[in-house]
Amino acid sequence: MRFEERQLPGDGTMGVVFACPQCGGEVAMLTNPMETQVVSSLGVKIGGTTLPDQPMELTRTFVADGRDDAFADAMRPRSVHWSEDATNRLGQVPAFVRGMVKRIYADYAQEHGISEITPAVMNRARSDLGLEGM
Amino acid sequence: MRNFRTYGEVPATPSHPVLAQVGDQRARLGQRLAKIHHIVPVVSGKGGVGKSAVSANLAAALALRGFRVGAVDGDLNGPSLAAMLGVSPEPLQVTDDGVVPAVGAADVRLVATDLLLEAADTPLRWRGPPGDEFLWRGALEAGTLREFLSDVVWGDLDFLVVDLPPGTDRIQRFLEFVPDPAAVLLVTTPSRAAARVVARAEALLSSGTRFGTVMNMAAGSCPHCGGTLPLFDAPADPGRDPHTIDFWGEIPFDHRLAHATDAGRPIVLDPDASRAATALWALTDRVLTECEF
């Protein structure tokens, strides 16, 4: 079976779609939130994410109540422009990991020659990088 | 009968090579630790015996001896090393190579959870689905300790002092990341309860591991005459041959040590200040000897 898609519909559930490479028939797998959390707690990426690990990514992703400025890359200036809608959407990301998420989108935009990050660009990046949860 | 392959024999798919990712984590850890010449965990099976104060002073004293020293506060839920080394939370710089550690007293490089949390009284909590936290909390704590070791830009270090939380399970967990530490310090107090827990901790260490016991709060000083006052009546362990215990030092109870610790200034910075400071320097020299310096 070939990996097709990963989705995080909410409440910690993860949906993964696999397809038969010959007939195209698809099978969907839903994991329950606890199982997803247990595997994620190992610090591994599941379901198509190919982005390299960020430093202390596990800690930064899972620690609640972290300081907004605990990591200085949250304030690292980037040359990519953020549209107002994209900025608002980024504001919905938990503060502790917002800097890391911002950097991921900025890196994606720079690597693809994109000068402005919009919600559409964020959607594309999420799909390409397997970041549906961000 | 069907012939099943093991999980390790199943080729990883390009989309989610979980096993390969775990292998990458271990490889990254190995590369980072390869630049650290001596890793010294400070442990005890029991809480409240003074591991963090010993860790902070050992790290500072080693740095004052001219060595390059880092410190990890492995007590994720009850961190105190940053405060003891006088480190205030400041944004940690992130580079492509990793997170740059904070710098404390005597230029000791440090990472700890209280550098990351909103306030000094913020408890460590984890994001995750409600309920069933007992199933995955341990994995996250182990993963965070791994990242403290592998994702911090320690650079070339002569010593990395790791202050571990109480509990023999934490020692086992740490030894999975660092199976061959240069030396292990077991901190105890002269009470039967503490000594027995330390004995359990000793049993976890392999026969080839170099370790020694530090007797903290060994005795107090009379504020009037300066005489020695034992704080505990109980012997270390009545069923134990004291000759089998390798004592690396005894640290007397001293209120000045507590004050220095609260002030974020390790007492070894003032070597003539107290008998506790003298004892901590002697302990440091013993650790250096054990590490063949």
Side-chain angles (χ1 to χ4, degrees):
Chain A
M1 299 299 276
R2 183 180 64 230
F3 170 77
E4 288 289 318
E5 181 185 5
R6 183 190 78 158
Q7 289 190 19
L8 301 173
D11 83 352
T13 299
M14 183 173 71
V16 184
V17 178
F18 298 94
C20 171
Q22 293 179 331
C23 73
E26 293 185 337
V27 175
M29 178 183 75
L30 284 184
T31 68
N32 69 45
M34 184 271 289
E35 288 174 344
T36 306
Q37 177 77 5
V38 167
V39 177
S40 298
S41 299
L42 299 174
V44 298
K45 298 184 176 72
I46 326 164
T49 301
T50 56
L51 202 68
D53 285 346
Q54 302 291 307
M56 290 178 62
E57 182 169 324
L58 180 80
T59 305
R60 298 168 71 175
T61 302
F62 285 101
V63 168
D65 306 317
R67 285 193 357 259
D68 288 354
D69 63 346
F71 294 94
D73 66 352
M75 298 170 288
R76 181 183 295 187
R78 291 278 160 179
S79 59
V80 180
H81 179 259
W82 286 73
S83 74
E84 186 175 343
D85 288 344
T87 302
N88 291 337
R89 187 158 138 183
L90 186 69
Q92 296 169 17
V93 175
F96 197 57
V97 291
R98 192 176 301 143
M100 184 173 66
V101 173
K102 185 176 184 180
R103 184 180 177 186
I104 290 169
Y105 283 128
D107 286 346
Y108 176 87
Q110 288 180 330
E111 287 168 8
H112 291 78
I114 298 168
S115 58
E116 183 181 48
I117 297 177
T118 64
V121 171
M122 296 170 80
N123 288 341
R124 200 187 329 156
R126 289 197 317 164
S127 175
D128 290 352
L129 302 174
L131 302 176
E132 291 88 343
M134 295 184 177
Chain B
M1 180 180 290
R2 296 177 189 276
N3 183 23
F4 282 96
R5 289 178 292 180
T6 65
Y7 185 84
E9 292 169 339
V10 178
T13 63
S15 56
H16 50 101
V18 171
L19 203 59
Q21 291 182 60
V22 173
D24 290 345
Q25 291 172 358
R26 289 195 173 274
R28 198 161 68 230
L29 177 64
Q31 288 167 2
R32 190 75 72 183
L33 298 186
K35 294 182 177 178
I36 301 173
H37 298 294
H38 300 87
I39 298 177
V40 181
V42 180
V43 307
S44 175
K46 194 174 185 308
V49 296
K51 287 182 302 299
S52 297
V54 169
S55 300
N57 281 281
L58 174 65
L62 288 168
L64 290 170
R65 283 274 190 259
F67 295 101
R68 297 163 297 182
V69 181
V72 171
D73 195 336
D75 194 347
L76 307 179
N77 294 288
S80 54
L81 211 51
M84 291 182 179
L85 287 168
V87 178
S88 301
E90 297 285 342
L92 297 174
Q93 300 293 321
V94 180
T95 70
D96 291 338
D97 188 32
V99 175
V100 179
V103 179
D107 291 334
V108 172
R109 304 167 205 181
L110 171 78
V111 68
T113 48
D114 49 353
L115 300 178
L116 311 179
L117 296 171
E118 281 180 349
D121 58 355
T122 302
L124 178 61
R125 288 188 287 239
W126 303 95
R127 288 197 182 91
D132 301 325
E133 183 173 335
F134 68 95
L135 289 169
W136 44 262
R137 185 181 178 103
L140 280 176
E141 290 181 352
T144 296
L145 180 60
R146 173 181 53 77
E147 289 190 337
F148 278 6
L149 295 168
S150 68
D151 288 13
V152 173
V153 188
W154 294 113
D156 291 315
L157 286 184
D158 297 304
F159 286 94
L160 182 67
V161 177
V162 185
D163 180 22
L164 289 177
T168 50
D169 60 321
R170 309 308 174 92
I171 301 171
Q172 284 179 295
R173 179 184 295 174
F174 180 76
L175 291 175
E176 289 179 7
F177 293 137
V178 184
D180 188 22
V184 179
L185 274 186
L186 300 173
V187 182
T188 185
T189 57
S191 72
R192 290 181 187 178
R196 285 175 180 153
V197 179
V198 166
R200 292 188 199 111
E202 282 182 12
L204 283 174
L205 301 172
S206 67
S207 58
T209 303
R210 186 178 294 138
F211 66 89
T213 300
V214 182
M215 186 71 77
N216 194 23
M217 307 180 209
S221 298
C222 172
H224 303 293
C225 70
T228 300
L229 299 172
L231 296 182
F232 303 92
D233 292 331
D237 189 333
R240 189 118 188 267
D241 178 359
H243 298 294
T244 66
I245 302 173
D246 193 6
F247 280 108
W248 286 6
E250 288 191 357
I251 302 167
F253 180 85
D254 191 323
H255 68 280
R256 286 166 293 192
L257 174 57
H259 291 162
T261 298
D262 287 343
R265 181 177 169 81
I267 200 167
V268 291
L269 270 64
D270 304 304
D272 300 326
S274 70
R275 291 168 52 206
T278 304
L280 285 160
W281 273 109
L283 171 66
T284 302
D285 289 337
R286 177 64 186 267
V287 170
L288 286 170
T289 301
E290 295 292 340
C291 292
E292 299 174 0
F293 279 94

